Amino acid sequence: MTAFAPPGDGPARDRVAAAYRWYAEMEAARSSPLFAAYCRAVAHERWLVARLAELPPAKWQPNLLIAAVRFLYGTPPTADAFLEITHGHWDAVAGVVMTRSTQTNEPARCATLLPLLARLPGPLALLEVGASAGLCLLPDRYSYDYGRATVAPSRPTGVTAPRFVCAADEATPLPAGNLTVAWRHGLDLHPVDLHDDAGQRWLEALVWPGQTSRLVGLRAALEVARRDPPTVTRGDLRRDLLRVAAGAPADATLVVFHTAVLAYVSDPDERAAFADAVAALGARWVANERPSVIPGVPDRLARDERHRTDFLLCLDGQPVAWTDGHGAAIRWLPDPAGSG
Ligand SMILES: C[S@@+](CC[C@H](N)C(=O)[O-])C[C@H]1O[C@@H](n2cnc3c(N)ncnc32)[C@H](O)[C@@H]1O
């Protein structure tokens, strides 16, 4: 499994260093300066680059190394401290890198899903593939602040709901209320156990240093989910979709959705087969992913849009909105074909 494509074809060490340099500038520089500093430091540290190059390419991922160090030893205050800890504890760090994978569960993504889900006829039967701990299966339990409108939970759980702030442009149709969810079920290769302390610490370690509001939102969503845990079944979206969908009630609109998942399915034919399987079910298909991995979508976009790092929100394969990858913003497209 990989959501990470190491750049180039050259020697492994050069590719590792290039990947960390790229990640520092393109992914992290704006949103977490400390994360970017760790990445730059790794790229310059020959010993560490050589150790990483000995691992399978899927394990070179900056997110994975940095989360492993923070999971074991907390957040090093500087890039030098990061290198020192990693050097001094390489066997333990490599052990976590090899046994875990990036499973960032970002409940704030519900803020960008909600405007689209609310346009579908309710009640909804939500089936999330690549659900991690299942926090995105609970959009009706959270509250949202879109600036010009707020939305409260329709199913409060007795604990304070997280409030996700999302900058929605004027074109985004904001719902008057939250969803009615009749059924919810997740599918994941490695479901994260909500009651396992290590699982929760791993999810927290995957939030980049300095992103305090993301961490606060994650912890609040975990509290909500522990009150009434969504069911997440172990399985593979390439094989187990029909088995899980069979449990959905017939009198609700079945919505198969995924956010930040399809990049882990590296074979485009397998991604296309998944899209065909959703269509064959007669379900609505909501994808919130980088555009390059959504089957059938890149051809519909202008060349310069195909490799954007924003997410594209699609309904049944039709682009509906550009969204921030962590749920902080949504920009509705002028002609959201098929979004009703
Ligand atoms: C980056 S996380 C995203 C989690 C959640 N969708 C979110 O947006 O917060 C990707 C998840 O997809 C899961 N995954 C990757 N490949 C999968 C597959 N073939 N079948 C099911 N789950 C998969 C991983 O285990 C991981 O939990």
Side-chain angles (χ1 to χ4, degrees):
M1 169 174 98
T2 175
F4 171 68
D9 294 322
R13 292 180 190 198
D14 293 352
R15 294 166 67 208
V16 169
Y20 277 77
R21 276 196 301 272
W22 184 90
Y23 221 83
E25 305 318 326
M26 304 306 291
E27 295 276 348
R30 269 183 308 149
S31 42
S32 176
L34 186 55
F35 191 101
Y38 296 160
C39 290
R40 286 188 207 106
V42 172
H44 283 102
E45 175 65 30
R46 283 183 176 195
W47 181 88
L48 183 51
V49 167
R51 296 291 77 72
L52 287 163
E54 291 163 358
L55 304 180
K59 299 293 180 180
W60 299 350
Q61 191 173 11
N63 258 345
L64 190 53
L65 171 71
I66 291 168
V69 172
R70 296 175 65 225
F71 174 72
L72 290 169
Y73 305 108
T75 301
T78 63
D80 283 346
F82 179 87
L83 291 182
E84 196 175 317
I85 290 169
T86 310
H87 199 284
H89 301 276
W90 175 247
D91 287 348
V93 170
V96 173
V97 166
M98 290 307 292
T99 51
R100 291 194 177 265
S101 55
T102 51
Q103 295 206 267
T104 309
N105 202 180
E106 180 49 82
R109 289 180 181 136
C110 290
T112 51
L113 297 175
L114 184 69
L116 178 56
L117 293 175
R119 288 163 74 89
L120 303 177
L124 301 182
L126 296 177
L127 196 172
E128 183 184 14
V129 298
S132 185
L135 301 181
C136 293
L137 277 165
L138 304 170
D140 52 331
R141 307 280 168 85
Y142 306 145
S143 62
Y144 306 91
D145 181 350
Y146 293 103
R148 63 196 154 90
T150 57
V151 178
S154 53
R155 293 265 308 264
T157 46
V159 295
T160 305
R163 185 179 182 85
F164 296 119
V165 177
C166 177
D169 74 351
E170 283 296 322
T172 302
L174 296 179
N178 213 317
L179 307 172
T180 302
V181 178
W183 178 89
R184 67 192 92 217
H185 203 119
L187 181 66
D188 199 284
L189 287 178
H190 311 285
V192 176
D193 181 351
L194 288 165
H195 298 284
D196 169 34
D197 178 56
Q200 174 167 341
R201 284 195 303 110
W202 180 243
L203 291 181
E204 292 185 5
L206 286 162
V207 176
W208 293 358
Q211 298 192 317
T212 313
S213 61
R214 281 186 65 202
L215 192 59
V216 168
L218 172 66
R219 287 179 175 156
L222 285 165
E223 276 298 304
V224 168
R226 270 194 292 266
R227 280 291 174 110
D228 192 3
T231 304
V232 181
T233 298
R234 184 178 295 272
D236 191 320
L237 66 88
R238 292 165 293 188
R239 284 186 283 280
D240 300 307
L241 181 67
L242 299 190
R243 173 168 64 87
V244 175
D251 55 356
T253 301
L254 177 59
V255 183
V256 176
F257 77 101
H258 46 91
T259 82
V261 174
L262 285 191
Y264 290 78
V265 179
S266 50
D267 181 345
D269 291 341
E270 291 186 336
R271 296 197 295 261
F274 164 73
D276 290 346
V278 178
L281 269 177
R284 306 306 300 266
W285 172 35
V286 172
N288 187 45
E289 303 276 352
R290 292 202 171 166
S292 55
V293 298
I294 307 177
V297 163
D299 291 347
R300 296 171 195 271
L301 300 174
R303 196 172 281 276
D304 62 328
E305 289 181 326
R306 290 179 196 168
H307 299 287
R308 276 176 66 159
T309 53
D310 289 345
F311 282 9
L312 189 63
L313 180 66
C314 295
L315 177 64
D316 302 331
Q318 304 280 339
V320 170
W322 288 104
T323 66
D324 169 73
H326 292 134
I330 179 166
R331 184 166 65 79
W332 207 257
L333 290 168
D335 179 23
S339 62

